[in-house]
Short mmCIF file of all heavy atoms in Angstrom, two decimals:
data_model
loop_
_atom_site.label_atom_id
_atom_site.label_comp_id
_atom_site.label_asym_id
_atom_site.label_seq_id
_atom_site.Cartn_x
_atom_site.Cartn_y
_atom_site.Cartn_z
N MET A 1 65.31 27.15 125.64
CA MET A 1 64.83 26.23 126.58
C MET A 1 66.02 25.50 127.27
O MET A 1 66.92 24.97 126.56
CB MET A 1 63.94 25.14 125.82
CG MET A 1 63.34 24.15 126.69
SD MET A 1 62.34 23.09 125.66
CE MET A 1 60.98 22.85 126.69
N PRO A 2 66.09 25.45 128.65
CA PRO A 2 67.23 24.90 129.23
C PRO A 2 67.19 23.36 129.28
O PRO A 2 66.19 22.80 129.24
CB PRO A 2 67.09 25.43 130.70
CG PRO A 2 65.69 25.78 130.88
CD PRO A 2 65.15 26.13 129.56
N GLN A 3 68.39 22.82 129.26
CA GLN A 3 68.54 21.40 129.26
C GLN A 3 68.42 20.85 130.74
O GLN A 3 68.80 21.57 131.66
CB GLN A 3 69.94 21.01 128.71
CG GLN A 3 70.03 21.27 127.18
CD GLN A 3 69.17 20.31 126.43
OE1 GLN A 3 68.97 19.18 126.78
NE2 GLN A 3 68.56 20.81 125.37
N LEU A 4 67.90 19.67 130.84
CA LEU A 4 67.74 19.02 132.15
C LEU A 4 69.13 18.52 132.60
O LEU A 4 69.74 17.74 131.88
CB LEU A 4 66.71 17.92 132.06
CG LEU A 4 66.34 17.24 133.40
CD1 LEU A 4 65.75 18.25 134.39
CD2 LEU A 4 65.40 16.09 133.10
N ASP A 5 69.53 18.85 133.81
CA ASP A 5 70.83 18.46 134.29
C ASP A 5 70.67 17.02 134.95
O ASP A 5 70.02 16.86 135.96
CB ASP A 5 71.33 19.43 135.33
CG ASP A 5 72.69 19.07 135.89
OD1 ASP A 5 73.37 18.30 135.16
OD2 ASP A 5 73.02 19.50 136.95
N THR A 6 71.23 16.08 134.30
CA THR A 6 71.14 14.67 134.84
C THR A 6 72.47 14.14 135.37
O THR A 6 72.60 12.98 135.58
CB THR A 6 70.74 13.78 133.64
OG1 THR A 6 71.70 13.88 132.67
CG2 THR A 6 69.38 14.12 133.08
N SER A 7 73.33 15.02 135.69
CA SER A 7 74.65 14.60 136.19
C SER A 7 74.59 13.98 137.60
O SER A 7 75.36 13.13 137.94
CB SER A 7 75.66 15.74 136.20
OG SER A 7 75.19 16.78 137.08
N THR A 8 73.63 14.38 138.43
CA THR A 8 73.53 13.83 139.76
C THR A 8 72.57 12.69 139.90
O THR A 8 72.40 12.13 140.99
CB THR A 8 73.11 14.99 140.77
OG1 THR A 8 71.86 15.44 140.29
CG2 THR A 8 74.10 16.05 140.78
N TRP A 9 71.93 12.32 138.83
CA TRP A 9 70.87 11.24 138.93
C TRP A 9 71.47 9.94 139.32
O TRP A 9 70.91 9.21 140.11
CB TRP A 9 70.16 11.11 137.56
CG TRP A 9 69.14 12.19 137.29
CD1 TRP A 9 69.08 13.37 137.93
CD2 TRP A 9 68.08 12.11 136.38
NE1 TRP A 9 68.02 14.14 137.44
CE2 TRP A 9 67.38 13.34 136.45
CE3 TRP A 9 67.64 11.18 135.44
CZ2 TRP A 9 66.25 13.65 135.68
CZ3 TRP A 9 66.54 11.47 134.69
CH2 TRP A 9 65.88 12.69 134.84
N PHE A 10 72.65 9.63 138.75
CA PHE A 10 73.24 8.35 139.01
C PHE A 10 73.58 8.22 140.55
O PHE A 10 73.24 7.22 141.19
CB PHE A 10 74.54 8.12 138.23
CG PHE A 10 75.25 6.85 138.53
CD1 PHE A 10 74.69 5.64 137.96
CD2 PHE A 10 76.40 6.80 139.26
CE1 PHE A 10 75.33 4.40 138.28
CE2 PHE A 10 77.01 5.63 139.56
CZ PHE A 10 76.52 4.41 139.05
N THR A 11 74.16 9.30 141.08
CA THR A 11 74.48 9.26 142.54
C THR A 11 73.18 9.18 143.38
O THR A 11 73.18 8.44 144.43
CB THR A 11 75.26 10.60 142.87
OG1 THR A 11 76.40 10.66 141.98
CG2 THR A 11 75.73 10.53 144.37
N THR A 12 72.23 9.90 143.01
CA THR A 12 71.00 9.92 143.77
C THR A 12 70.32 8.50 143.75
O THR A 12 69.88 8.02 144.80
CB THR A 12 70.00 10.94 143.14
OG1 THR A 12 70.62 12.20 143.17
CG2 THR A 12 68.68 10.96 143.97
N ILE A 13 70.28 7.91 142.58
CA ILE A 13 69.67 6.57 142.49
C ILE A 13 70.46 5.54 143.27
O ILE A 13 69.94 4.65 143.93
CB ILE A 13 69.43 6.18 141.04
CG1 ILE A 13 68.43 7.13 140.37
CG2 ILE A 13 69.10 4.72 140.84
CD1 ILE A 13 68.26 6.96 138.91
N MET A 14 71.75 5.61 143.14
CA MET A 14 72.62 4.65 143.79
C MET A 14 72.62 4.76 145.28
O MET A 14 72.87 3.80 146.01
CB MET A 14 74.07 4.75 143.24
CG MET A 14 74.19 4.35 141.77
SD MET A 14 73.34 2.75 141.41
CE MET A 14 74.50 1.64 142.07
N THR A 15 72.33 5.91 145.77
CA THR A 15 72.24 6.03 147.27
C THR A 15 70.83 5.74 147.74
O THR A 15 70.62 5.33 148.90
CB THR A 15 72.66 7.41 147.70
OG1 THR A 15 71.86 8.35 147.01
CG2 THR A 15 74.11 7.74 147.52
N MET A 16 69.84 5.89 146.93
CA MET A 16 68.50 5.61 147.22
C MET A 16 68.25 4.11 147.39
O MET A 16 67.51 3.70 148.29
CB MET A 16 67.55 6.20 146.18
CG MET A 16 66.11 5.89 146.44
SD MET A 16 65.04 6.46 145.03
CE MET A 16 65.59 5.37 143.75
N LEU A 17 68.84 3.26 146.53
CA LEU A 17 68.64 1.86 146.58
C LEU A 17 69.00 1.20 147.92
O LEU A 17 68.21 0.51 148.58
CB LEU A 17 69.38 1.19 145.41
CG LEU A 17 68.76 1.50 144.07
CD1 LEU A 17 69.55 0.87 142.98
CD2 LEU A 17 67.32 0.98 144.01
N PRO A 18 70.27 1.46 148.42
CA PRO A 18 70.52 0.89 149.80
C PRO A 18 69.70 1.47 150.88
O PRO A 18 69.30 0.72 151.85
CB PRO A 18 72.00 1.24 150.00
CG PRO A 18 72.60 1.69 148.75
CD PRO A 18 71.44 2.08 147.86
N THR A 19 69.33 2.67 150.78
CA THR A 19 68.46 3.33 151.73
C THR A 19 67.09 2.62 151.78
O THR A 19 66.58 2.31 152.87
CB THR A 19 68.33 4.82 151.49
OG1 THR A 19 69.61 5.40 151.43
CG2 THR A 19 67.47 5.50 152.57
N LEU A 20 66.50 2.41 150.68
CA LEU A 20 65.22 1.74 150.63
C LEU A 20 65.32 0.31 151.17
O LEU A 20 64.47 -0.22 151.84
CB LEU A 20 64.67 1.75 149.14
CG LEU A 20 64.13 3.03 148.66
CD1 LEU A 20 63.75 2.98 147.22
CD2 LEU A 20 62.95 3.46 149.51
N TYR A 21 66.46 -0.29 150.81
CA TYR A 21 66.64 -1.67 151.31
C TYR A 21 66.74 -1.73 152.81
O TYR A 21 66.08 -2.54 153.48
CB TYR A 21 67.97 -2.23 150.68
CG TYR A 21 68.24 -3.61 151.21
CD1 TYR A 21 67.60 -4.77 150.79
CD2 TYR A 21 69.28 -3.81 152.15
CE1 TYR A 21 67.94 -5.98 151.20
CE2 TYR A 21 69.59 -5.03 152.64
CZ TYR A 21 68.93 -6.13 152.17
OH TYR A 21 69.17 -7.38 152.68
N LEU A 22 67.42 -0.74 153.40
CA LEU A 22 67.54 -0.77 154.83
C LEU A 22 66.21 -0.39 155.51
O LEU A 22 65.84 -0.96 156.56
CB LEU A 22 68.58 0.27 155.26
CG LEU A 22 70.06 -0.08 155.03
CD1 LEU A 22 70.97 1.06 155.28
CD2 LEU A 22 70.40 -1.32 155.82
N ILE A 23 65.49 0.47 154.89
CA ILE A 23 64.16 0.81 155.46
C ILE A 23 63.22 -0.41 155.44
O ILE A 23 62.49 -0.68 156.40
CB ILE A 23 63.58 2.01 154.69
CG1 ILE A 23 64.26 3.32 155.03
CG2 ILE A 23 62.05 2.20 155.00
CD1 ILE A 23 63.89 4.44 154.15
N MET A 24 63.23 -1.17 154.37
CA MET A 24 62.41 -2.29 154.23
C MET A 24 62.85 -3.38 155.23
O MET A 24 61.99 -4.09 155.88
CB MET A 24 62.42 -2.90 152.85
CG MET A 24 61.68 -2.09 151.80
SD MET A 24 59.96 -1.72 152.35
CE MET A 24 59.28 -3.37 152.33
N GLN A 25 64.17 -3.54 155.52
CA GLN A 25 64.60 -4.54 156.49
C GLN A 25 64.15 -4.11 157.86
O GLN A 25 63.80 -4.97 158.70
CB GLN A 25 66.11 -4.62 156.39
CG GLN A 25 66.68 -5.28 155.13
CD GLN A 25 66.19 -6.69 155.01
OE1 GLN A 25 66.29 -7.40 155.96
NE2 GLN A 25 65.76 -7.05 153.77
N LEU A 26 64.26 -2.84 158.21
CA LEU A 26 63.77 -2.38 159.45
C LEU A 26 62.33 -2.61 159.68
O LEU A 26 61.88 -2.97 160.78
CB LEU A 26 64.17 -0.93 159.71
CG LEU A 26 65.68 -0.65 159.92
CD1 LEU A 26 65.92 0.85 159.88
CD2 LEU A 26 66.16 -1.29 161.14
N LYS A 27 61.51 -2.38 158.66
CA LYS A 27 60.08 -2.59 158.74
C LYS A 27 59.78 -4.08 159.02
O LYS A 27 58.92 -4.43 159.76
CB LYS A 27 59.35 -2.12 157.45
CG LYS A 27 59.14 -0.62 157.40
CD LYS A 27 58.32 -0.26 156.22
CE LYS A 27 57.87 1.17 156.20
NZ LYS A 27 56.89 1.40 157.25
N LEU A 28 60.51 -4.92 158.26
CA LEU A 28 60.28 -6.35 158.45
C LEU A 28 60.70 -6.87 159.78
O LEU A 28 60.17 -7.82 160.35
CB LEU A 28 60.99 -7.14 157.31
CG LEU A 28 60.43 -7.01 155.94
CD1 LEU A 28 61.29 -7.71 154.96
CD2 LEU A 28 59.03 -7.58 155.92
N LEU A 29 61.64 -6.25 160.42
CA LEU A 29 62.13 -6.57 161.70
C LEU A 29 61.01 -6.32 162.75
O LEU A 29 60.91 -7.04 163.73
CB LEU A 29 63.38 -5.80 162.12
CG LEU A 29 64.72 -6.44 161.87
CD1 LEU A 29 65.81 -5.51 162.21
CD2 LEU A 29 64.87 -7.76 162.66
N ASN A 30 60.24 -5.33 162.53
CA ASN A 30 59.24 -4.89 163.51
C ASN A 30 57.93 -5.62 163.31
O ASN A 30 57.01 -5.35 164.12
CB ASN A 30 59.10 -3.37 163.41
CG ASN A 30 60.26 -2.65 163.92
OD1 ASN A 30 61.01 -3.21 164.85
ND2 ASN A 30 60.52 -1.47 163.44
N THR A 31 57.78 -6.42 162.30
CA THR A 31 56.50 -7.10 162.11
C THR A 31 56.34 -8.28 163.08
O THR A 31 57.35 -8.89 163.37
CB THR A 31 56.34 -7.49 160.64
OG1 THR A 31 57.41 -8.41 160.35
CG2 THR A 31 56.34 -6.38 159.70
N ASN A 32 55.12 -8.53 163.37
CA ASN A 32 54.85 -9.69 164.24
C ASN A 32 54.57 -10.92 163.39
O ASN A 32 53.75 -10.92 162.50
CB ASN A 32 53.60 -9.46 165.10
CG ASN A 32 53.86 -8.46 166.20
OD1 ASN A 32 55.01 -8.35 166.61
ND2 ASN A 32 52.86 -7.85 166.71
N HIS A 33 55.38 -11.92 163.61
CA HIS A 33 55.17 -13.21 162.85
C HIS A 33 54.44 -14.09 163.83
O HIS A 33 54.94 -14.43 164.89
CB HIS A 33 56.50 -13.79 162.43
CG HIS A 33 57.23 -12.96 161.47
ND1 HIS A 33 56.80 -12.86 160.20
CD2 HIS A 33 58.34 -12.20 161.55
CE1 HIS A 33 57.60 -12.01 159.49
NE2 HIS A 33 58.54 -11.63 160.36
N HIS A 34 53.29 -14.54 163.46
CA HIS A 34 52.49 -15.44 164.29
C HIS A 34 53.03 -16.84 164.32
O HIS A 34 53.47 -17.38 163.34
CB HIS A 34 51.02 -15.51 163.75
CG HIS A 34 50.40 -14.15 163.80
ND1 HIS A 34 50.01 -13.51 165.00
CD2 HIS A 34 50.02 -13.26 162.85
CE1 HIS A 34 49.46 -12.35 164.70
NE2 HIS A 34 49.41 -12.18 163.36
N GLN A 35 53.07 -17.35 165.55
CA GLN A 35 53.58 -18.68 165.73
C GLN A 35 52.46 -19.64 165.41
O GLN A 35 51.29 -19.34 165.55
CB GLN A 35 53.99 -18.88 167.22
CG GLN A 35 55.14 -18.00 167.63
CD GLN A 35 56.40 -18.33 166.89
OE1 GLN A 35 56.67 -19.50 166.56
NE2 GLN A 35 57.25 -17.40 166.65
N PRO A 36 52.82 -20.87 164.86
CA PRO A 36 51.80 -21.81 164.59
C PRO A 36 51.13 -22.26 165.92
O PRO A 36 51.79 -22.26 166.99
CB PRO A 36 52.49 -22.95 163.90
CG PRO A 36 53.92 -22.75 164.28
CD PRO A 36 54.16 -21.34 164.53
N PRO A 37 49.92 -22.62 165.89
CA PRO A 37 49.15 -22.97 167.12
C PRO A 37 49.80 -24.27 167.72
O PRO A 37 50.26 -25.18 167.01
CB PRO A 37 47.76 -23.22 166.77
CG PRO A 37 47.81 -23.40 165.27
CD PRO A 37 48.97 -22.66 164.76
N LEU A 38 49.78 -24.38 169.02
CA LEU A 38 50.37 -25.57 169.67
C LEU A 38 49.38 -26.67 169.56
O LEU A 38 48.17 -26.48 169.50
CB LEU A 38 50.54 -25.23 171.19
CG LEU A 38 51.52 -24.14 171.49
CD1 LEU A 38 51.59 -23.82 172.99
CD2 LEU A 38 52.98 -24.50 171.01
N THR A 39 49.96 -27.83 169.39
CA THR A 39 49.11 -29.02 169.29
C THR A 39 48.65 -29.50 170.63
O THR A 39 49.41 -29.58 171.54
CB THR A 39 49.85 -30.19 168.57
OG1 THR A 39 50.98 -30.48 169.35
CG2 THR A 39 50.26 -29.77 167.16
N LYS A 40 47.33 -29.69 170.72
CA LYS A 40 46.76 -30.16 171.98
C LYS A 40 46.27 -31.57 171.79
O LYS A 40 45.90 -32.01 170.75
CB LYS A 40 45.52 -29.31 172.35
CG LYS A 40 45.90 -27.86 172.78
CD LYS A 40 44.73 -27.23 173.51
CE LYS A 40 43.94 -26.47 172.47
NZ LYS A 40 42.86 -25.74 173.15
N THR A 41 46.34 -32.33 172.83
CA THR A 41 45.81 -33.66 172.80
C THR A 41 44.28 -33.59 172.84
O THR A 41 43.73 -32.91 173.75
CB THR A 41 46.33 -34.51 173.98
OG1 THR A 41 45.96 -33.86 175.20
CG2 THR A 41 47.84 -34.69 173.94
N PRO A 42 43.67 -34.21 171.93
CA PRO A 42 42.22 -34.14 171.92
C PRO A 42 41.64 -34.91 173.14
O PRO A 42 42.00 -36.02 173.40
CB PRO A 42 41.83 -34.76 170.57
CG PRO A 42 42.98 -35.70 170.23
CD PRO A 42 44.24 -35.05 170.83
N THR A 43 40.66 -34.28 173.77
CA THR A 43 40.04 -35.00 174.82
C THR A 43 38.61 -35.34 174.35
O THR A 43 37.86 -34.57 173.73
CB THR A 43 39.86 -34.02 176.04
OG1 THR A 43 39.20 -32.86 175.61
CG2 THR A 43 41.24 -33.64 176.58
N LEU A 44 38.26 -36.60 174.64
CA LEU A 44 36.95 -37.04 174.24
C LEU A 44 35.95 -36.59 175.30
O LEU A 44 36.16 -36.81 176.46
CB LEU A 44 36.97 -38.56 174.15
CG LEU A 44 37.82 -39.12 173.05
CD1 LEU A 44 37.82 -40.65 173.10
CD2 LEU A 44 37.34 -38.68 171.70
N GLN A 45 34.88 -35.96 174.81
CA GLN A 45 33.81 -35.56 175.68
C GLN A 45 32.67 -36.45 175.55
O GLN A 45 32.27 -36.73 174.41
CB GLN A 45 33.49 -34.10 175.33
CG GLN A 45 34.58 -33.13 175.57
CD GLN A 45 34.18 -31.74 175.16
OE1 GLN A 45 33.11 -31.54 174.59
NE2 GLN A 45 35.03 -30.76 175.46
N SER A 46 32.05 -36.86 176.63
CA SER A 46 30.81 -37.61 176.52
C SER A 46 29.62 -36.67 176.61
O SER A 46 29.57 -35.81 177.49
CB SER A 46 30.78 -38.64 177.66
OG SER A 46 30.75 -37.97 178.88
N HIS A 47 28.73 -36.86 175.66
CA HIS A 47 27.53 -36.01 175.63
C HIS A 47 26.33 -36.78 176.15
O HIS A 47 26.18 -37.95 175.86
CB HIS A 47 27.24 -35.51 174.23
CG HIS A 47 28.36 -34.61 173.71
ND1 HIS A 47 28.62 -33.37 174.11
CD2 HIS A 47 29.34 -34.89 172.75
CE1 HIS A 47 29.63 -32.87 173.52
NE2 HIS A 47 30.11 -33.77 172.66
N ASN A 48 25.52 -36.15 176.90
CA ASN A 48 24.29 -36.77 177.28
C ASN A 48 23.22 -36.60 176.21
O ASN A 48 22.81 -35.50 175.95
CB ASN A 48 23.78 -36.11 178.60
CG ASN A 48 24.28 -36.80 179.81
OD1 ASN A 48 24.80 -37.91 179.70
ND2 ASN A 48 24.20 -36.14 180.98
N VAL A 49 22.88 -37.73 175.64
CA VAL A 49 21.80 -37.63 174.59
C VAL A 49 20.64 -38.52 175.07
O VAL A 49 20.82 -39.46 175.72
CB VAL A 49 22.36 -38.12 173.25
CG1 VAL A 49 23.38 -37.16 172.71
CG2 VAL A 49 22.93 -39.54 173.35
N ARG A 50 19.49 -38.09 174.61
CA ARG A 50 18.22 -38.83 175.03
C ARG A 50 17.92 -39.92 174.05
O ARG A 50 17.01 -40.73 174.34
CB ARG A 50 17.11 -37.85 175.11
CG ARG A 50 17.26 -36.87 176.30
CD ARG A 50 16.07 -35.99 176.40
NE ARG A 50 16.10 -35.08 175.18
CZ ARG A 50 15.26 -34.12 175.00
NH1 ARG A 50 14.24 -33.94 175.80
NH2 ARG A 50 15.35 -33.32 173.96
N TRP A 51 18.53 -40.00 172.90
CA TRP A 51 18.21 -41.06 171.99
C TRP A 51 19.29 -42.16 171.95
O TRP A 51 20.40 -41.94 172.42
CB TRP A 51 18.02 -40.43 170.60
CG TRP A 51 19.23 -39.72 170.10
CD1 TRP A 51 20.29 -40.24 169.47
CD2 TRP A 51 19.46 -38.31 170.20
NE1 TRP A 51 21.23 -39.23 169.19
CE2 TRP A 51 20.72 -38.08 169.59
CE3 TRP A 51 18.75 -37.29 170.77
CZ2 TRP A 51 21.28 -36.82 169.56
CZ3 TRP A 51 19.40 -35.97 170.74
CH2 TRP A 51 20.57 -35.78 170.11
N GLN A 52 18.97 -43.20 171.38
CA GLN A 52 19.93 -44.34 171.31
C GLN A 52 20.82 -44.08 170.16
O GLN A 52 20.45 -43.81 169.03
CB GLN A 52 19.19 -45.62 171.07
CG GLN A 52 18.23 -46.08 172.23
CD GLN A 52 19.11 -46.60 173.32
OE1 GLN A 52 20.21 -47.04 173.16
NE2 GLN A 52 18.58 -46.44 174.55
N PRO A 53 22.15 -44.19 170.42
CA PRO A 53 23.13 -44.04 169.27
C PRO A 53 23.04 -45.32 168.38
O PRO A 53 23.31 -46.41 168.85
CB PRO A 53 24.46 -43.85 169.98
CG PRO A 53 24.34 -44.46 171.30
CD PRO A 53 22.85 -44.40 171.64
N LYS A 54 22.71 -45.19 167.13
CA LYS A 54 22.66 -46.28 166.20
C LYS A 54 22.87 -45.83 164.82
O LYS A 54 22.71 -44.60 164.54
CB LYS A 54 21.35 -47.10 166.34
CG LYS A 54 20.16 -46.29 165.97
CD LYS A 54 18.95 -47.13 166.18
CE LYS A 54 17.63 -46.30 165.82
NZ LYS A 54 16.48 -47.06 165.93
N TRP A 55 23.21 -46.74 163.93
CA TRP A 55 23.47 -46.33 162.51
C TRP A 55 22.07 -46.29 161.77
O TRP A 55 21.24 -47.04 162.07
CB TRP A 55 24.30 -47.39 161.83
CG TRP A 55 25.76 -47.35 162.33
CD1 TRP A 55 26.30 -48.17 163.25
CD2 TRP A 55 26.75 -46.44 161.95
NE1 TRP A 55 27.62 -47.86 163.47
CE2 TRP A 55 27.91 -46.80 162.71
CE3 TRP A 55 26.82 -45.36 161.03
CZ2 TRP A 55 29.13 -46.08 162.56
CZ3 TRP A 55 28.03 -44.72 160.89
CH2 TRP A 55 29.14 -45.08 161.63
N THR A 56 22.01 -45.33 160.95
CA THR A 56 20.82 -45.27 160.13
C THR A 56 21.19 -45.25 158.71
O THR A 56 22.27 -44.87 158.32
CB THR A 56 19.97 -43.99 160.43
OG1 THR A 56 20.85 -42.87 160.22
CG2 THR A 56 19.53 -43.99 161.89
N LYS A 57 20.26 -45.64 157.82
CA LYS A 57 20.54 -45.58 156.40
C LYS A 57 20.47 -44.12 155.89
O LYS A 57 19.69 -43.34 156.38
CB LYS A 57 19.47 -46.41 155.66
CG LYS A 57 19.61 -47.85 155.89
CD LYS A 57 18.63 -48.60 155.05
CE LYS A 57 18.74 -50.11 155.27
NZ LYS A 57 17.84 -50.83 154.41
N THR A 58 21.29 -43.86 154.94
CA THR A 58 21.31 -42.52 154.33
C THR A 58 20.64 -42.62 152.98
O THR A 58 20.90 -43.51 152.15
CB THR A 58 22.73 -42.00 154.15
OG1 THR A 58 23.41 -42.06 155.37
CG2 THR A 58 22.73 -40.62 153.64
N CYS A 59 19.68 -41.84 152.74
CA CYS A 59 18.91 -41.78 151.47
C CYS A 59 19.70 -41.02 150.48
O CYS A 59 20.15 -39.94 150.67
CB CYS A 59 17.54 -41.15 151.64
SG CYS A 59 16.47 -42.08 152.74
N LEU A 60 19.88 -41.69 149.27
CA LEU A 60 20.56 -40.96 148.20
C LEU A 60 19.59 -40.09 147.43
O LEU A 60 18.39 -40.37 147.34
CB LEU A 60 21.09 -42.08 147.23
CG LEU A 60 22.25 -42.92 147.76
CD1 LEU A 60 22.59 -43.97 146.74
CD2 LEU A 60 23.47 -42.08 148.08
N PRO A 61 20.08 -39.00 146.87
CA PRO A 61 19.21 -38.22 146.04
C PRO A 61 18.74 -38.98 144.83
O PRO A 61 19.43 -39.87 144.39
CB PRO A 61 20.14 -37.01 145.65
CG PRO A 61 21.27 -37.05 146.57
CD PRO A 61 21.40 -38.43 147.08
N LEU A 62 17.64 -38.57 144.29
CA LEU A 62 17.05 -39.26 143.12
C LEU A 62 17.92 -39.18 141.87
O LEU A 62 17.80 -40.01 140.97
CB LEU A 62 15.66 -38.75 142.86
CG LEU A 62 14.65 -39.09 143.95
CD1 LEU A 62 13.28 -38.45 143.60
CD2 LEU A 62 14.52 -40.60 144.11
N SER A 63 18.76 -38.18 141.79
CA SER A 63 19.58 -38.00 140.60
C SER A 63 20.65 -39.03 140.46
O SER A 63 21.14 -39.18 139.35
CB SER A 63 20.14 -36.57 140.51
OG SER A 63 21.01 -36.43 141.64
N GLN A 64 21.09 -39.66 141.50
CA GLN A 64 22.10 -40.63 141.46
C GLN A 64 21.45 -42.05 141.28
O GLN A 64 20.45 -42.36 141.89
CB GLN A 64 22.90 -40.59 142.76
CG GLN A 64 23.70 -39.34 142.91
CD GLN A 64 24.52 -39.36 144.19
OE1 GLN A 64 24.34 -40.24 145.02
NE2 GLN A 64 25.38 -38.39 144.36
N PRO A 65 22.16 -42.89 140.50
CA PRO A 65 21.62 -44.24 140.37
C PRO A 65 21.80 -45.02 141.63
O PRO A 65 22.78 -44.85 142.35
CB PRO A 65 22.41 -44.82 139.23
CG PRO A 65 23.62 -43.97 139.15
CD PRO A 65 23.30 -42.60 139.69
N GLN A 66 20.86 -45.91 141.91
CA GLN A 66 20.96 -46.70 143.13
C GLN A 66 21.97 -47.80 142.86
O GLN A 66 21.98 -48.44 141.83
CB GLN A 66 19.64 -47.26 143.52
CG GLN A 66 18.64 -46.20 143.98
CD GLN A 66 17.36 -46.79 144.42
OE1 GLN A 66 17.14 -48.01 144.26
NE2 GLN A 66 16.48 -45.95 144.93
N GLN A 67 22.77 -48.10 143.89
CA GLN A 67 23.74 -49.13 143.81
C GLN A 67 23.29 -50.22 144.79
O GLN A 67 22.99 -49.95 145.97
CB GLN A 67 25.10 -48.63 144.20
CG GLN A 67 25.63 -47.61 143.21
CD GLN A 67 26.94 -47.04 143.64
OE1 GLN A 67 27.43 -47.38 144.68
NE2 GLN A 67 27.57 -46.25 142.78
N PHE A 68 23.31 -51.50 144.32
CA PHE A 68 22.93 -52.56 145.13
C PHE A 68 24.10 -53.43 145.45
O PHE A 68 24.99 -53.63 144.73
CB PHE A 68 21.82 -53.43 144.51
CG PHE A 68 20.58 -52.64 144.35
CD1 PHE A 68 20.16 -52.12 143.13
CD2 PHE A 68 19.78 -52.38 145.45
CE1 PHE A 68 19.03 -51.38 143.01
CE2 PHE A 68 18.57 -51.68 145.33
CZ PHE A 68 18.24 -51.20 144.16
#
């Protein structure tokens, strides 16, 4: 049974590492990095409503104790 020749493994692995590093750097260079959205000043819009704007009481669910 022949022995496995491992004399070139070190050279192969050591040249593969920088090559993989360079390939990954080139891939990252070509990716699109999204810019954060620009901040806009909020504009208040008036809505036409047919009802009177007023505060109403909010009913609590029965499972919560009532607070006075």
Side-chain angles (χ1 to χ4, degrees):
M1 182 177 219
Q3 291 291 323
L4 183 61
D5 182 21
T6 59
S7 62
T8 59
W9 283 19
F10 180 76
T11 307
T12 303
I13 291 171
M14 293 312 283
T15 55
M16 179 186 63
L17 290 175
T19 304
L20 286 175
Y21 176 77
L22 287 173
I23 289 171
M24 288 306 294
Q25 291 297 315
L26 288 172
K27 280 186 173 286
L28 289 175
L29 265 176
N30 292 330
T31 57
N32 286 338
H33 296 289
H34 297 290
Q35 297 294 327
L38 298 175
T39 57
K40 288 196 268 186
T41 57
T43 58
L44 296 175
Q45 297 177 352
S46 63
H47 296 288
N48 269 345
V49 291
R50 291 182 290 183
W51 58 86
Q52 293 288 333
K54 63 181 178 180
W55 291 98
T56 59
K57 290 184 180 181
T58 304
C59 295
L60 291 174
L62 292 176
S63 62
Q64 293 181 348
Q66 290 184 354
Q67 295 177 352
F68 295 104

